[in-house]
Structures are given as C-alpha cells and as structure tokens.
Amino acid sequence: MKLTGVQNVPESHADNENLGETPSSAGFTLTMEGAGKHPDAEGTARLFSKMLKAIFLSLVVASMAVKDDVLNVCMEGKHHKKQPGVEGDLHKQCEPWKDWACCTVNTSTEAHKDESYLYNFNWNHCGMMTEKCKRHFIQDTCFYECSPNLGPWIQKADASWRNERIIDVPLCKEDCEEWWNDCQNDLTCKENWHKGWNWTSGINKCPVGYPCRKFTDVFPTPQSLCEKIWSGSYKHTTYKRGSGQCLQVWFETGKNPNPSVTKYYAEKMGLLGVAYTPRISIFINFFLAILSLLLT
C-alpha cells in the first residue's frame, strides 16, 4: 500500500481497518497495491486450521487409547506384566489365561505353592487348609495375577508393594457360592486377609486376640466371603455364569467369557469414550467435515 499527497499521516489512520477508503477530511489519496488477503493472515489461518485439526484428532486418538486400556490392561501390581500377551503354557489352574495373560509362567507356578515368594502368604495359618478349599484360593490368585479384563475396576492403591488394586469386581454367583461351600469347614482367624497379620516371622500368622474359627463363623454367607476377604476387591452378584453381567473366576481354557463382560461394564460406566458410542462418532465426522470446509 502506498500513501500519496500527505507527508505526515497520523498513526490512527495507518491503523485504520478501512484502509481501502480515503477519509475526506484528510486531504490525501490512498493508492492500493496488491489489495486482497494479506499473506501473513493467510499463513496464520492455515496454521490455525492445522492446529485445530491436530488437537481434535489427538483427542480422538486419546479416547481410543482409553478404550484399549480399559478392555485390555494389566494393573500395576507386584508381579504383573506391563502388558498382556501370549504365555503359551501357564501352570495348572492358571492355564485358562495362557492365550492372553498378565502373569508369567513363573508367577503361575508360584501361585500354586502354600508359601510362595509372591507375597509370602501362608494359607495354613490355622492348620492345613483342605485341598478343595485351597483350589479356590489358587484360582483366585490366578484370576488376580493373570486376567487382562479387570480394567474398569482398577484403582490407585495406597500401598508400598503395588500402585494399583481392584475394587468391586462383579463375580458370578456360582463362584462365590462354590468358594464358600468348599471352605466352610476350614479354619481362619481373620475376616480381612489384606492386613492386620503378624509378620514378625516373615510369613503371616494370626495376631494376638484373633483365635482360629470356622470359615462359616468368620464369613456367614458367600457374599461376606467374596466381599470382605480381600477388602472389597470383589462384589458378590446374583448374576449366573453365562449371563454376560458377571466375571467368571473359573472357565475352560480357550473359552474366556470375561472380555465381553468387561466391555459391557465399561460401556455402562462410560469408560469407552467415543469409540463405542455411534451417535458421538457421527457427530465427530460431521464436525470434522464442517471444520475442513471452514478452515481450508
């Protein structure tokens, strides 16, 4: 732009938004050269467009990552793997998770020992636990260590030996009932097995003032056993195996029913973001189309 006929142009005129017009009182003529969009403005618009698209696409990708994490994740525990994967050959009762597991072969082997290095926990703190009862605790350990389907129930843990834990995982009715039925004549001294033990010997022993009693005295119902023994890790439900609304601790190798149950609860809890919400997906596509028209 070139100013002619005026020597001292006030700054207010130089900054005037209507530079294509000549103020009659100014007594000068404006000669327009290269009128149109300013090159810097065009570059800024293009950069702004790219930034908006990048931000929006990042949000979409982030929501999809949340989906993947919730449905397929290992918690940050003491012995869990960083990510689930194929193990090929897990030990005995842990075998059903071999196709996709958060535990290693070594962890699965230790899960079957009375006093393993996993947690130095002694099942026989009130005399020898019966085999029919012990198998449920082994299965419980396999479920906890190996399952990649606990995402919706993982929460931060305030403990020195793990960063995360599970809360209120909905177990099938049969899993709680069979566990309770097979252990009802065994003995224990504590209701909450997560804390309060005497660890002075290096393994858990009953603390003073906690005599050994029958399981049915400590846990009067299957619900009390499932919900109290690990301080709320599990939630007793009235749903049966195969209902699609409860997680199974017991299932056959190659027939894990829990991924679909995890997806059901993740959707119900609103944890899947845009990935599994058709209406929101349609809105995203529409918004991107409008954004593209406006900013190109």
Side-chain angles (χ1 to χ4, degrees), residues 269-280:
M269 296 161 72
L271 300 176
L272 294 185
V274 300
Y276 281 96
T277 311
R279 290 183 180 179
I280 295 180

Side-chain angles (χ1 to χ4, degrees), residues 95-115:
E95 184 183 9
W97 286 275
K98 69 177 184 177
D99 293 336
W100 203 248
C102 286
C103 62
T104 63
V105 175
N106 192 46
T107 297
S108 70
T109 301
E110 291 292 323
H112 290 73
K113 296 181 180 179
D114 287 346
E115 296 177 24

Side-chain angles (χ1 to χ4, degrees), residues 75 153-155 157 162 164-167 194 230-233:
M75 75 179 84
W153 304 277
I154 294 176
Q155 296 187 16
R162 61 178 179 177
E164 294 179 332
R165 63 162 298 182
I166 48 175
I167 298 286
H194 259 157
W230 298 126
S231 60
S233 294

Side-chain angles (χ1 to χ4, degrees), residues 29-294:
T29 303
L30 291 178
T31 302
M32 304 300 295
E33 295 181 357
K37 292 185 178 179
H38 195 287
D40 289 343
E42 291 180 351
T44 302
R46 285 196 297 268
L47 179 61
F48 184 66
S49 172
K50 291 179 180 179
M51 288 175 62
L52 280 180
K53 290 178 181 179
I55 291 171
F56 197 79
L57 290 174
S58 296
L59 291 174
V60 173
V61 172
S63 68
M64 294 176 69
V66 169
K67 172 204 69 174
D68 291 339
D69 286 347
V70 169
L71 299 181
N72 182 43
V73 64
C74 299
M75 75 179 84
E76 292 184 37
K78 188 175 182 180
H79 302 289
H80 291 80
K81 300 192 306 187
K82 297 295 183 182
Q83 295 178 336
V86 177
E87 281 300 317
D89 186 24
L90 294 180
H91 193 61
K92 293 184 178 180
Q93 288 181 224
C94 294
E95 184 183 9
W97 286 275
K98 69 177 184 177
D99 293 336
W100 203 248
C102 286
C103 62
T104 63
V105 175
N106 192 46
T107 297
S108 70
T109 301
E110 291 292 323
H112 290 73
K113 296 181 180 179
D114 287 346
E115 296 177 24
S116 75
Y117 83 89
L118 294 181
Y119 305 102
N120 292 324
F121 197 89
N122 177 26
W123 307 121
N124 305 315
H125 52 268
C126 277
M128 291 298 296
M129 182 180 281
T130 62
E131 290 301 318
K132 69 176 182 178
C133 177
K134 187 182 299 181
R135 72 187 189 97
H136 289 279
F137 284 96
I138 293 172
Q139 195 72 10
D140 162 56
T141 303
C142 290
F143 179 75
Y144 172 79
E145 299 289 346
C146 302
S147 178
N149 309 125
L150 302 174
W153 304 277
I154 294 176
Q155 296 187 16
K156 292 296 180 182
D158 184 18
S160 60
W161 52 279
R162 61 178 179 177
N163 294 324
E164 294 179 332
R165 63 162 298 182
I166 48 175
I167 298 286
D168 289 338
V169 175
L171 297 189
C172 294
K173 180 181 178 181
E174 297 94 328
D175 287 317
C176 289
E177 289 183 348
E178 290 174 7
W179 191 355
W180 185 81
N181 285 331
D182 287 346
C183 292
Q184 58 182 313
N185 292 319
D186 282 81
L187 302 176
T188 187
C189 57
K190 282 180 53 56
E191 182 182 68
N192 186 346
W193 286 20
H194 259 157
K195 57 185 179 179
W197 297 97
N198 178 355
W199 289 96
T200 55
S201 65
I203 61 171
N204 59 301
K205 291 186 177 180
C206 295
V208 176
Y210 287 79
C212 293
R213 297 182 291 160
K214 287 181 62 176
F215 257 62
T216 49
D217 291 333
V218 179
F219 306 107
T221 64
Q223 181 175 356
S224 63
L225 171 62
C226 269
E227 296 184 356
K228 293 182 178 180
I229 196 164
W230 298 126
S231 60
S233 294
Y234 300 137
K235 182 178 179 61
H236 172 274
T237 73
T238 57
Y239 299 118
K240 295 185 177 181
R241 293 170 184 164
S243 66
Q245 299 185 62
C246 60
L247 269 68
Q248 293 183 207
V249 178
W250 295 86
F251 56 87
E252 295 180 18
T253 302
K255 297 182 180 180
N256 186 352
N258 293 328
S260 60
V261 178
T262 298
K263 179 183 173 183
Y264 165 78
Y265 278 100
E267 289 176 335
K268 190 175 181 180
M269 296 161 72
L271 300 176
L272 294 185
V274 300
Y276 281 96
T277 311
R279 290 183 180 179
I280 295 180
S281 296
I282 292 172
F283 170 77
I284 288 172
N285 291 330
F286 176 77
F287 182 83
L288 284 174
I290 297 298
L291 193 64
S292 179
L293 290 173
L294 290 175

